[in-house]
Amino acid sequence: MSSVIAGTRFSVLDRSRTREGHGGAEALRDTVRLAQDLEGLGYHRIWVSEHHGVPGVAGSAPTVLAAAVAAATHTIRVGTGGVMLPNHQPLVVAEQFGVLESLFPGRIDMGLGRSVGFTDGVRKALGRDRDDADDFAAQLAELLGWFSGTSPTGVHARPSEGLAVPPFVLAMGEGATIAAQAGLPMVIGDLRNREKMQRGIEHYRATFRPSPWASQPYVVISGTVAVAATPEAAHRLLLPEAWSMAHSRTRGTFPPLPPAERVENLTLSAKERGFFESGLTGHIAGTEEQVAHELETVIKETGAQEVLVTTSTYDRDALLDSYRRLARVAGPAAA
């Protein structure tokens, strides 16, 4: 095993993707079951996501789902990738994580993003505006203040105050700058645009200010990693998500994942084909040996301390097999 890989943690973000013929309730239960399997395989964390009004994603309430995942597991860290802070009042977010940390001490992570709902309709339903993302740095400072008891309101967040729930910033757009200035660990993706990712990491490290939360920069790189017995089988794992992305780009809706065999038999327009082919490129996919080589390269390039795997596909058995194979590549590093 590569010494570079051996020194890197491996974790998973599962977005509770819905699948054709399988509803949202099953997708959520799939996430809980996957967490149990990942714990047995030695992965470091499992995170869940926040999406609103998306037909293909059941993960809309990450702190609620994180509670279910933490209750069904024992040792794996559980968190959010992430709570979209502009959608919420920081006090409420602090209270939710305070409850999680109180119930599952030492296992909860607070991954935070700055996205606001994807469409005008969702933003209106949330009572938010696109410009609310511009206040993310201030919202983040307010949130952390509830844990340290420094809110100028004189109000105290219960049971959050005094607890140490590790915060992470999802580096979308200006996120790298905000993470560095706040002195927080950063999650950055994706693997399909290595040059942009590398620039973000270099900027983060160059401008990082130590804080009570982190004395040194901590980089988590995120993206799709698919491992199978053959390169062809690994490639097929990518097809459902690539098609769903192409469909959303051309038709405006993000649908449930279709089976790979259905995708292989679809007739796509030239525009759809372009987005589809683009969606298949840049990921880490192949056999265990091929994936190990690619992971070693990207970890060396980025100096990342952790890899957050975000793979989605229709076949849950094949997905678990991929994570099982990746755990063999990572070895003790997964834990």
Side-chain angles (χ1 to χ4, degrees):
M1 182 193 304
S2 161
S3 60
V4 173
I5 294 177
T8 307
R9 289 169 167 163
F10 282 79
S11 302
V12 171
L13 166 66
D14 191 77
R15 289 179 291 156
S16 306
R17 292 286 273 113
T18 58
R19 302 175 291 151
E20 290 184 359
H22 304 267
E26 186 173 351
L28 296 171
R29 294 188 184 103
D30 283 343
T31 294
V32 175
R33 280 193 293 268
L34 178 64
Q36 295 170 321
D37 291 326
L38 294 172
E39 180 174 74
L41 292 170
Y43 282 86
H44 185 60
R45 321 176 197 272
I46 178 166
W47 282 3
V48 296
S49 64
E50 176 181 335
H51 295 275
H52 299 285
V54 180
V57 183
S60 57
T63 53
V64 177
L65 183 53
V69 168
T73 54
H74 303 283
T75 57
I76 193 170
R77 297 194 64 87
V78 178
T80 55
V83 165
M84 297 302 149
L85 198 48
N87 291 340
H88 310 280
Q89 291 297 331
L91 170 61
V92 175
V93 176
E95 290 171 336
Q96 290 172 346
F97 279 99
V99 170
L100 283 169
E101 176 64 20
S102 298
L103 291 172
F104 310 102
R107 292 179 56 206
I108 300 301
D109 299 321
M110 187 166 57
L112 304 163
R114 63 189 295 268
S115 295
V116 189
F118 292 129
T119 66
D120 289 338
V122 169
R123 288 189 288 271
K124 184 177 180 181
L126 290 169
R128 295 296 185 265
D129 187 81
R130 190 189 300 270
D131 294 338
D132 287 326
D134 297 337
D135 297 327
F136 179 63
Q139 295 159 352
L140 182 61
E142 181 183 344
L143 172 62
L144 298 180
W146 290 116
F147 288 93
S148 59
T150 56
S151 171
T153 64
V155 175
H156 297 273
R158 310 292 187 198
S160 315
E161 189 172 309
L163 298 180
V165 183
F168 294 74
V169 172
L170 276 61
M172 302 280 288
E174 298 176 10
T177 298
I178 294 170
Q181 291 176 346
L184 300 180
M186 176 185 71
V187 183
I188 188 166
D190 65 30
L191 296 170
R192 291 181 297 171
N193 193 335
R194 306 279 177 92
E195 290 184 9
K196 182 179 179 182
M197 184 172 70
Q198 187 64 43
R199 287 195 302 272
I201 292 171
E202 290 172 357
H203 174 71
Y204 166 72
R205 289 201 175 105
T207 57
F208 182 85
R209 300 175 184 173
S211 75
W213 298 96
S215 59
Q216 298 178 16
Y218 188 90
V219 174
V220 184
I221 56 173
S222 68
T224 294
V225 181
V227 198
T230 65
E232 294 76 20
H235 178 77
R236 291 185 86 245
L237 284 171
L238 306 176
L239 298 181
E241 182 78 2
W243 178 84
S244 291
M245 289 298 294
H247 188 279
S248 70
R249 297 285 181 87
T250 54
R251 305 191 186 186
T253 60
F254 196 65
L257 295 172
E261 54 269 22
R262 190 168 85 73
V263 176
E264 290 172 326
N265 293 318
L266 287 173
T267 300
L268 304 179
S269 68
K271 189 175 183 181
E272 286 174 325
R273 175 65 61 182
F275 283 121
F276 178 65
E277 296 293 346
S278 174
L280 292 171
T281 61
H283 306 295
I284 294 178
T287 64
E288 291 172 38
E289 183 178 355
Q290 291 170 325
V291 165
H293 175 72
E294 283 202 60
L295 281 172
E296 182 172 18
T297 298
V298 72
I299 292 168
K300 280 182 177 178
E301 289 173 353
T302 61
Q305 287 98 333
E306 188 168 341
V307 177
L308 181 69
V309 184
T310 62
T311 310
S312 295
T313 195
Y314 178 88
D315 188 334
R316 297 295 293 192
D317 290 335
L319 180 64
L320 178 57
D321 181 65
S322 177
Y323 283 130
R324 189 178 292 116
R325 292 174 183 275
L326 179 58
R328 287 203 292 262
V329 171

